[in-house]
């Protein structure tokens, strides 16, 4: 199981994380900046669908890991997503940095805009966790043991902290405790939970 570090300078979001993730004591919450973390294997980019990384946490990621990362992410989007990476997908891009080995490019929106009233945060969080898991299961060396994740959709996306935390925690729970049988009842229950909460 990966070690999840939720890190953000927004104190209200961190308080919401503490409450939403109270059933998962293995998840760490850090009220601060990812650059100050002593170590992590993968940093999550709360991205847009086109890999334009010139604002918010994406800009901080580029400043930390280097401008070439943006070019490589955009080329991957061109090569693998026909120029537009959908919300609900995520991929890992290697970086050359002693603090972290990968960035998980994970769109929460097509272009910068409000995502209030959507389930984009849930989709992004679940996609990121799945991408890390697939990487570890299919690589010769499962080298992503810790993931640093900022607030998803909470800046330009304007998602309220409590709702973002709820969707992130629900995605995490559904990742670590997946359903074992699929039918219309489980599908409807899952959809209701994502849209409306328990």
């Amino acid at each position: 199981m990966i070690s999840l570090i939720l890190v953000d300078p927004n104190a209200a979001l961190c308080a919401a994380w503490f409450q939403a993730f109270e059933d998962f004591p293995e998840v760490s919450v850090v009220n601060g900046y990812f650059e100050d973390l002593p170590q992590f294997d993968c940093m999550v980019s709360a991205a847009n669908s086109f890999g334009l990384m010139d604002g918010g946490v994406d800009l901080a990621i580029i400043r930390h890991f280097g401008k070439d990362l943006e070019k490589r992410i955009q080329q991957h989007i061109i090569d693998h997503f026909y120029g537009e990476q959908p919300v609900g997908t995520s991929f890992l891009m290697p970086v050359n940095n002693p603090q972290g080995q990968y960035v998980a490019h994970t769109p929460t929106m097509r272009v910068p805009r409000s995502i209030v009233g959507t389930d984009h945060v849930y989709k992004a969080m679940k996609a990121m966790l799945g991408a890390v898991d697939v990487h570890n299961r299919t690589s010769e060396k499962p080298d992503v043991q810790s993931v640093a994740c900022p607030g998803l959709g909470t800046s330009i996306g304007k998602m309220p902290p409590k709702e973002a935390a709820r969707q992130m925690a629900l995605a995490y729970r559904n990742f670590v405790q997946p359903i074992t049988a699929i039918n219309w009842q489980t599908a409807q229950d899952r959809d209701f939970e994502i849209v409306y909460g328990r």
Side-chain angles (χ1 to χ4, degrees):
M1 176 56 64
I2 62 170
S3 173
L4 180 62
I5 307 164
L6 302 174
V7 56
D8 203 282
N10 184 331
L13 174 60
C14 290
W17 275 338
F18 273 116
Q19 184 174 13
F21 282 84
E22 64 181 351
D23 292 336
F24 303 102
E26 72 275 13
V27 176
S28 303
V29 175
V30 177
N31 185 195
Y33 297 90
F34 79 88
E35 299 96 325
D36 297 329
L37 293 175
Q39 182 63 41
F40 53 85
D41 297 322
C42 181
M43 175 63 193
V44 179
S45 166
N48 58 72
S49 293
F50 299 95
L52 296 164
M53 306 178 73
D54 56 1
V57 70
D58 278 339
L59 180 58
I61 287 171
I62 290 301
R63 287 175 175 164
H64 190 71
F65 292 112
K67 185 68 177 174
D68 72 299
L69 175 64
E70 181 179 29
K71 295 177 182 176
R72 291 189 291 117
I73 282 174
Q74 289 176 1
Q75 191 60 54
H76 186 93
I77 292 170
I78 290 169
D79 293 342
H80 297 274
F81 295 99
Y82 307 97
E84 179 184 344
Q85 183 188 356
V87 174
T89 64
S90 179
F91 65 85
L92 272 59
M93 182 61 68
V95 296
N96 184 20
N97 188 290
Q99 189 180 24
Q101 302 180 69
Y102 299 92
V103 163
H105 192 262
T106 310
T108 60
M109 58 191 72
R110 178 176 288 107
V111 295
R113 65 164 57 122
S114 171
I115 59 169
V116 173
T118 73
D119 61 355
H120 289 198
V121 168
Y122 174 88
K123 289 177 181 176
M125 184 73 171
K126 196 150 186 301
M128 178 277 292
L129 293 167
V132 171
D133 183 58
V134 168
H135 169 85
N136 282 338
R137 286 192 288 109
T138 58
S139 299
E140 291 184 7
K141 183 180 179 183
D143 52 1
V144 179
Q145 302 304 314
S146 59
V147 175
C149 184
L152 301 181
T154 56
S155 180
I156 295 172
K158 302 186 186 309
M159 188 71 79
K162 286 186 178 180
E163 177 60 13
R166 181 189 76 84
Q167 290 192 28
M168 291 176 73
L170 181 59
Y172 181 80
R173 180 170 68 80
N174 289 343
F175 171 73
V176 299
Q177 301 172 4
I179 56 177
T180 56
I182 296 176
N183 54 51
W184 278 116
Q185 188 61 55
T186 59
Q188 290 170 350
D189 289 347
R190 173 67 57 88
D191 186 60
F192 185 90
E193 188 175 44
I194 293 165
V195 175
Y196 302 107
R198 290 187 177 184

